[in-house]
Short mmCIF file of all heavy atoms in Angstrom, two decimals:
data_model
loop_
_atom_site.label_atom_id
_atom_site.label_comp_id
_atom_site.label_asym_id
_atom_site.label_seq_id
_atom_site.Cartn_x
_atom_site.Cartn_y
_atom_site.Cartn_z
N ALA B 72 1.36 10.39 -1.26
CA ALA B 72 0.35 10.92 -0.35
C ALA B 72 -0.30 12.14 -1.00
O ALA B 72 0.35 12.83 -1.80
CB ALA B 72 0.94 11.25 0.99
N ASP B 73 -1.55 12.34 -0.66
CA ASP B 73 -2.26 13.59 -1.02
C ASP B 73 -2.72 14.26 0.25
O ASP B 73 -3.70 13.86 0.87
CB ASP B 73 -3.45 13.24 -1.92
CG ASP B 73 -4.17 14.46 -2.44
OD1 ASP B 73 -4.02 15.55 -1.87
OD2 ASP B 73 -4.91 14.29 -3.40
N LYS B 74 -1.99 15.30 0.61
CA LYS B 74 -2.30 15.95 1.91
C LYS B 74 -3.66 16.65 1.92
O LYS B 74 -4.25 16.80 2.98
CB LYS B 74 -1.19 16.92 2.33
CG LYS B 74 -1.02 18.09 1.43
CD LYS B 74 0.18 18.96 1.89
CE LYS B 74 0.39 20.15 0.95
NZ LYS B 74 1.55 20.94 1.42
N SER B 75 -4.15 17.04 0.73
CA SER B 75 -5.40 17.75 0.70
C SER B 75 -6.63 16.86 1.14
O SER B 75 -7.63 17.38 1.57
CB SER B 75 -5.68 18.29 -0.71
OG SER B 75 -5.90 17.19 -1.61
N ILE B 76 -6.38 15.55 1.03
CA ILE B 76 -7.47 14.65 1.47
C ILE B 76 -6.99 13.63 2.54
O ILE B 76 -7.58 12.60 2.77
CB ILE B 76 -8.09 13.90 0.32
CG1 ILE B 76 -7.02 13.12 -0.54
CG2 ILE B 76 -8.88 14.80 -0.60
CD1 ILE B 76 -7.58 12.21 -1.61
N SER B 77 -5.80 13.96 3.12
CA SER B 77 -5.29 13.21 4.26
C SER B 77 -5.19 11.72 3.96
O SER B 77 -5.59 10.87 4.71
CB SER B 77 -6.16 13.39 5.55
OG SER B 77 -6.20 14.74 5.90
N THR B 78 -4.66 11.43 2.75
CA THR B 78 -4.61 10.05 2.33
C THR B 78 -3.27 9.65 1.77
O THR B 78 -2.62 10.44 1.00
CB THR B 78 -5.66 9.79 1.21
OG1 THR B 78 -6.98 10.13 1.76
CG2 THR B 78 -5.64 8.34 0.76
N ALA B 79 -2.76 8.53 2.23
CA ALA B 79 -1.51 7.95 1.69
C ALA B 79 -1.87 6.77 0.77
O ALA B 79 -2.92 6.12 0.94
CB ALA B 79 -0.59 7.49 2.81
N TYR B 80 -0.91 6.51 -0.14
CA TYR B 80 -1.19 5.44 -1.15
C TYR B 80 -0.01 4.51 -1.30
O TYR B 80 1.12 4.91 -1.07
CB TYR B 80 -1.45 6.08 -2.51
CG TYR B 80 -2.63 7.02 -2.56
CD1 TYR B 80 -2.43 8.42 -2.48
CD2 TYR B 80 -3.94 6.54 -2.71
CE1 TYR B 80 -3.51 9.26 -2.49
CE2 TYR B 80 -5.04 7.42 -2.76
CZ TYR B 80 -4.77 8.79 -2.66
OH TYR B 80 -5.86 9.59 -2.68
N LEU B 81 -0.33 3.29 -1.73
CA LEU B 81 0.71 2.31 -2.09
C LEU B 81 0.23 1.74 -3.42
O LEU B 81 -0.89 1.32 -3.56
CB LEU B 81 0.72 1.19 -1.01
CG LEU B 81 1.72 0.04 -1.28
CD1 LEU B 81 3.14 0.49 -1.30
CD2 LEU B 81 1.50 -1.08 -0.23
N GLN B 82 1.12 1.80 -4.42
CA GLN B 82 0.68 1.35 -5.76
C GLN B 82 1.72 0.47 -6.43
O GLN B 82 2.91 0.56 -6.15
CB GLN B 82 0.32 2.52 -6.60
CG GLN B 82 1.43 3.45 -7.02
CD GLN B 82 0.96 4.61 -7.90
OE1 GLN B 82 0.52 5.65 -7.37
NE2 GLN B 82 0.96 4.41 -9.19
N TRP B 83 1.15 -0.35 -7.32
CA TRP B 83 1.94 -1.26 -8.14
C TRP B 83 1.60 -1.02 -9.63
O TRP B 83 0.39 -0.83 -9.91
CB TRP B 83 1.66 -2.75 -7.86
CG TRP B 83 1.95 -3.20 -6.48
CD1 TRP B 83 3.06 -3.97 -6.09
CD2 TRP B 83 1.17 -3.09 -5.27
NE1 TRP B 83 3.01 -4.25 -4.77
CE2 TRP B 83 1.85 -3.74 -4.22
CE3 TRP B 83 -0.04 -2.42 -4.99
CZ2 TRP B 83 1.36 -3.77 -2.92
CZ3 TRP B 83 -0.53 -2.48 -3.69
CH2 TRP B 83 0.15 -3.14 -2.68
N SER B 84 2.55 -1.09 -10.48
CA SER B 84 2.27 -0.93 -11.92
C SER B 84 2.02 -2.30 -12.59
O SER B 84 1.33 -2.36 -13.60
CB SER B 84 3.43 -0.21 -12.58
OG SER B 84 4.64 -0.92 -12.45
N SER B 85 2.60 -3.33 -12.02
CA SER B 85 2.39 -4.66 -12.61
C SER B 85 2.51 -5.69 -11.50
O SER B 85 3.64 -6.01 -11.05
CB SER B 85 3.50 -4.93 -13.68
OG SER B 85 3.32 -6.21 -14.24
N LEU B 86 1.36 -6.16 -11.03
CA LEU B 86 1.36 -7.10 -9.90
C LEU B 86 1.87 -8.44 -10.26
O LEU B 86 1.73 -8.95 -11.38
CB LEU B 86 -0.08 -7.19 -9.38
CG LEU B 86 -0.64 -5.99 -8.57
CD1 LEU B 86 -2.11 -6.01 -8.56
CD2 LEU B 86 -0.05 -5.95 -7.18
N LYS B 87 2.42 -9.15 -9.21
CA LYS B 87 2.84 -10.52 -9.38
C LYS B 87 2.11 -11.32 -8.29
O LYS B 87 1.62 -10.80 -7.27
CB LYS B 87 4.36 -10.69 -9.09
CG LYS B 87 5.24 -9.74 -9.90
CD LYS B 87 6.69 -10.03 -9.55
CE LYS B 87 7.64 -9.03 -10.19
NZ LYS B 87 7.45 -7.66 -9.72
N ALA B 88 2.06 -12.62 -8.47
CA ALA B 88 1.43 -13.50 -7.51
C ALA B 88 2.10 -13.31 -6.11
O ALA B 88 1.42 -13.44 -5.10
CB ALA B 88 1.49 -14.94 -7.96
N SER B 89 3.38 -13.06 -6.11
CA SER B 89 4.10 -12.91 -4.87
C SER B 89 3.73 -11.62 -4.10
O SER B 89 4.19 -11.44 -2.98
CB SER B 89 5.61 -12.96 -5.10
OG SER B 89 5.98 -11.96 -6.01
N ASP B 90 2.96 -10.75 -4.70
CA ASP B 90 2.49 -9.53 -4.01
C ASP B 90 1.29 -9.84 -3.15
O ASP B 90 0.76 -8.95 -2.42
CB ASP B 90 2.13 -8.42 -4.99
CG ASP B 90 3.39 -7.90 -5.76
OD1 ASP B 90 4.42 -7.68 -5.06
OD2 ASP B 90 3.31 -7.71 -6.98
N THR B 91 0.73 -11.02 -3.24
CA THR B 91 -0.37 -11.45 -2.39
C THR B 91 -0.01 -11.33 -0.94
O THR B 91 0.95 -11.98 -0.46
CB THR B 91 -0.81 -12.88 -2.70
OG1 THR B 91 -1.30 -12.90 -4.04
CG2 THR B 91 -1.90 -13.33 -1.75
N ALA B 92 -0.74 -10.49 -0.21
CA ALA B 92 -0.39 -10.20 1.20
C ALA B 92 -1.42 -9.27 1.82
O ALA B 92 -2.25 -8.72 1.11
CB ALA B 92 1.01 -9.51 1.31
N MET B 93 -1.35 -9.11 3.10
CA MET B 93 -2.03 -8.07 3.82
C MET B 93 -1.11 -6.83 3.90
O MET B 93 0.08 -7.02 4.23
CB MET B 93 -2.41 -8.53 5.20
CG MET B 93 -3.21 -7.48 5.98
SD MET B 93 -4.90 -7.27 5.40
CE MET B 93 -5.68 -8.68 6.23
N TYR B 94 -1.59 -5.69 3.61
CA TYR B 94 -0.83 -4.46 3.65
C TYR B 94 -1.41 -3.52 4.71
O TYR B 94 -2.60 -3.24 4.64
CB TYR B 94 -0.76 -3.79 2.28
CG TYR B 94 0.00 -4.61 1.26
CD1 TYR B 94 -0.64 -5.57 0.50
CD2 TYR B 94 1.41 -4.45 1.11
CE1 TYR B 94 0.07 -6.35 -0.41
CE2 TYR B 94 2.10 -5.21 0.23
CZ TYR B 94 1.43 -6.20 -0.53
OH TYR B 94 2.12 -6.95 -1.42
N TYR B 95 -0.55 -3.13 5.66
CA TYR B 95 -0.98 -2.17 6.72
C TYR B 95 -0.30 -0.85 6.50
O TYR B 95 0.84 -0.77 6.16
CB TYR B 95 -0.59 -2.69 8.07
CG TYR B 95 -1.25 -3.99 8.50
CD1 TYR B 95 -0.56 -5.23 8.39
CD2 TYR B 95 -2.51 -4.00 9.04
CE1 TYR B 95 -1.16 -6.37 8.87
CE2 TYR B 95 -3.12 -5.15 9.45
CZ TYR B 95 -2.44 -6.33 9.33
OH TYR B 95 -3.06 -7.49 9.79
N CYS B 96 -1.07 0.21 6.78
CA CYS B 96 -0.42 1.51 6.96
C CYS B 96 -0.36 1.79 8.47
O CYS B 96 -1.13 1.26 9.26
CB CYS B 96 -1.12 2.61 6.23
SG CYS B 96 -2.85 2.90 6.76
N ALA B 97 0.56 2.66 8.87
CA ALA B 97 0.74 2.99 10.30
C ALA B 97 1.26 4.41 10.41
O ALA B 97 2.15 4.77 9.60
CB ALA B 97 1.66 1.98 10.99
N ARG B 98 0.83 5.14 11.36
CA ARG B 98 1.30 6.47 11.61
C ARG B 98 2.60 6.36 12.51
O ARG B 98 2.60 5.61 13.48
CB ARG B 98 0.25 7.31 12.38
CG ARG B 98 0.69 8.72 12.61
CD ARG B 98 -0.32 9.50 13.41
NE ARG B 98 -0.41 9.08 14.79
CZ ARG B 98 -0.97 9.75 15.76
NH1 ARG B 98 -1.49 10.96 15.51
NH2 ARG B 98 -1.01 9.34 17.02
N GLN B 99 3.60 7.09 12.12
CA GLN B 99 4.81 7.10 12.89
C GLN B 99 4.78 8.27 13.85
O GLN B 99 4.68 9.43 13.43
CB GLN B 99 6.06 7.19 12.00
CG GLN B 99 7.37 7.21 12.80
CD GLN B 99 8.59 7.09 11.92
OE1 GLN B 99 8.77 6.03 11.31
NE2 GLN B 99 9.42 8.09 11.90
N ILE B 100 4.87 8.01 15.11
CA ILE B 100 4.92 9.05 16.15
C ILE B 100 6.39 9.33 16.40
O ILE B 100 7.21 8.37 16.54
CB ILE B 100 4.19 8.65 17.45
CG1 ILE B 100 2.71 8.52 17.16
CG2 ILE B 100 4.49 9.63 18.54
CD1 ILE B 100 1.90 8.10 18.38
N ASP B 101 6.75 10.58 16.50
CA ASP B 101 8.19 10.97 16.72
C ASP B 101 8.16 11.93 17.91
O ASP B 101 7.65 13.04 17.79
CB ASP B 101 8.75 11.61 15.48
CG ASP B 101 10.24 11.87 15.65
OD1 ASP B 101 10.74 12.01 16.77
OD2 ASP B 101 10.92 11.93 14.58
N VAL B 102 8.73 11.51 18.99
CA VAL B 102 8.91 12.41 20.16
C VAL B 102 10.36 12.51 20.52
O VAL B 102 10.98 11.55 20.99
CB VAL B 102 8.10 11.86 21.37
CG1 VAL B 102 8.31 12.77 22.59
CG2 VAL B 102 6.61 11.74 21.00
N ARG B 103 10.93 13.67 20.23
CA ARG B 103 12.32 13.91 20.54
C ARG B 103 13.26 12.79 20.05
O ARG B 103 14.09 12.26 20.79
CB ARG B 103 12.51 14.15 22.02
CG ARG B 103 11.79 15.43 22.52
CD ARG B 103 12.14 15.71 24.00
NE ARG B 103 11.62 14.64 24.88
CZ ARG B 103 10.37 14.63 25.32
NH1 ARG B 103 9.54 15.54 24.98
NH2 ARG B 103 9.96 13.65 26.13
N GLY B 104 13.07 12.43 18.83
CA GLY B 104 13.98 11.44 18.20
C GLY B 104 13.58 9.96 18.49
O GLY B 104 14.23 9.05 17.97
N VAL B 105 12.58 9.75 19.31
CA VAL B 105 12.09 8.40 19.58
C VAL B 105 10.84 8.17 18.77
O VAL B 105 9.90 8.97 18.84
CB VAL B 105 11.76 8.24 21.07
CG1 VAL B 105 11.11 6.89 21.34
CG2 VAL B 105 13.06 8.38 21.90
N ASP B 106 10.82 7.18 17.88
CA ASP B 106 9.62 6.99 17.10
C ASP B 106 9.09 5.55 17.14
O ASP B 106 9.84 4.62 17.32
CB ASP B 106 9.83 7.47 15.66
CG ASP B 106 11.11 6.99 15.06
OD1 ASP B 106 11.33 5.78 15.12
OD2 ASP B 106 11.86 7.80 14.59
N TRP B 107 7.81 5.49 16.96
CA TRP B 107 7.09 4.15 16.95
C TRP B 107 5.87 4.31 16.13
O TRP B 107 5.44 5.43 15.75
CB TRP B 107 6.80 3.68 18.37
CG TRP B 107 5.84 4.54 19.13
CD1 TRP B 107 4.49 4.35 19.31
CD2 TRP B 107 6.15 5.71 19.90
NE1 TRP B 107 3.97 5.34 20.08
CE2 TRP B 107 4.94 6.18 20.46
CE3 TRP B 107 7.33 6.44 20.12
CZ2 TRP B 107 4.92 7.31 21.25
CZ3 TRP B 107 7.29 7.57 20.90
CH2 TRP B 107 6.07 7.99 21.48
N PHE B 108 5.20 3.18 15.76
CA PHE B 108 4.03 3.15 14.95
C PHE B 108 2.74 3.05 15.76
O PHE B 108 2.54 2.06 16.44
CB PHE B 108 4.06 2.03 13.92
CG PHE B 108 5.26 2.08 12.96
CD1 PHE B 108 6.05 0.98 12.79
CD2 PHE B 108 5.56 3.29 12.33
CE1 PHE B 108 7.15 1.08 11.91
CE2 PHE B 108 6.64 3.35 11.41
CZ PHE B 108 7.43 2.22 11.28
N ASP B 109 1.90 4.04 15.61
CA ASP B 109 0.65 4.04 16.32
C ASP B 109 -0.27 5.19 15.86
O ASP B 109 0.12 6.32 15.81
CB ASP B 109 0.85 4.21 17.84
CG ASP B 109 -0.45 4.12 18.66
OD1 ASP B 109 -1.18 3.16 18.47
OD2 ASP B 109 -0.72 5.05 19.44
N PRO B 110 -1.53 4.93 15.40
CA PRO B 110 -2.12 3.58 15.29
C PRO B 110 -1.77 2.96 13.97
O PRO B 110 -1.04 3.51 13.17
CB PRO B 110 -3.61 3.90 15.32
CG PRO B 110 -3.69 5.21 14.67
CD PRO B 110 -2.46 5.98 15.02
N TRP B 111 -2.30 1.75 13.79
CA TRP B 111 -2.22 1.04 12.51
C TRP B 111 -3.56 1.02 11.87
O TRP B 111 -4.61 1.04 12.53
CB TRP B 111 -1.79 -0.42 12.75
CG TRP B 111 -0.38 -0.55 13.28
CD1 TRP B 111 0.09 -0.09 14.46
CD2 TRP B 111 0.70 -1.27 12.69
NE1 TRP B 111 1.43 -0.39 14.62
CE2 TRP B 111 1.82 -1.19 13.55
CE3 TRP B 111 0.86 -2.03 11.55
CZ2 TRP B 111 3.02 -1.77 13.24
CZ3 TRP B 111 2.05 -2.63 11.22
CH2 TRP B 111 3.15 -2.50 12.10
N GLY B 112 -3.58 0.98 10.53
CA GLY B 112 -4.83 0.80 9.78
C GLY B 112 -5.33 -0.67 9.98
O GLY B 112 -4.54 -1.50 10.49
N GLN B 113 -6.50 -0.93 9.51
CA GLN B 113 -7.09 -2.26 9.67
C GLN B 113 -6.50 -3.28 8.70
O GLN B 113 -6.72 -4.48 8.84
CB GLN B 113 -8.61 -2.26 9.55
CG GLN B 113 -9.15 -2.25 8.13
CD GLN B 113 -9.18 -0.89 7.43
OE1 GLN B 113 -8.53 0.06 7.85
NE2 GLN B 113 -10.03 -0.80 6.42
N GLY B 114 -5.77 -2.79 7.70
CA GLY B 114 -5.18 -3.72 6.71
C GLY B 114 -5.97 -3.79 5.40
O GLY B 114 -7.23 -3.68 5.48
N THR B 115 -5.28 -3.95 4.32
CA THR B 115 -5.91 -4.21 3.05
C THR B 115 -5.37 -5.47 2.50
O THR B 115 -4.13 -5.66 2.29
CB THR B 115 -5.64 -3.04 2.02
OG1 THR B 115 -6.26 -1.88 2.49
CG2 THR B 115 -6.15 -3.43 0.65
N LEU B 116 -6.21 -6.49 2.23
CA LEU B 116 -5.80 -7.74 1.72
C LEU B 116 -5.75 -7.65 0.19
O LEU B 116 -6.75 -7.37 -0.45
CB LEU B 116 -6.74 -8.89 2.16
CG LEU B 116 -6.37 -10.26 1.63
CD1 LEU B 116 -5.06 -10.68 2.17
CD2 LEU B 116 -7.47 -11.29 2.02
#
Side-chain angles (χ1 to χ4, degrees):
Chain B
D73 185 341
K74 64 182 180 182
S75 68
I76 54 173
S77 300
T78 301
Y80 300 99
L81 178 65
Q82 67 181 88
W83 297 259
S84 58
S85 181
L86 286 160
K87 308 181 188 63
S89 57
D90 292 317
T91 295
M93 182 72 83
Y94 293 89
Y95 294 102
C96 62
R98 183 183 71 163
Q99 180 170 295
I100 294 180
D101 186 335
V102 177
R103 294 187 295 277
V105 173
D106 47 53
W107 65 97
F108 299 131
D109 183 52
W111 293 60
Q113 82 276 20
T115 294
L116 181 62

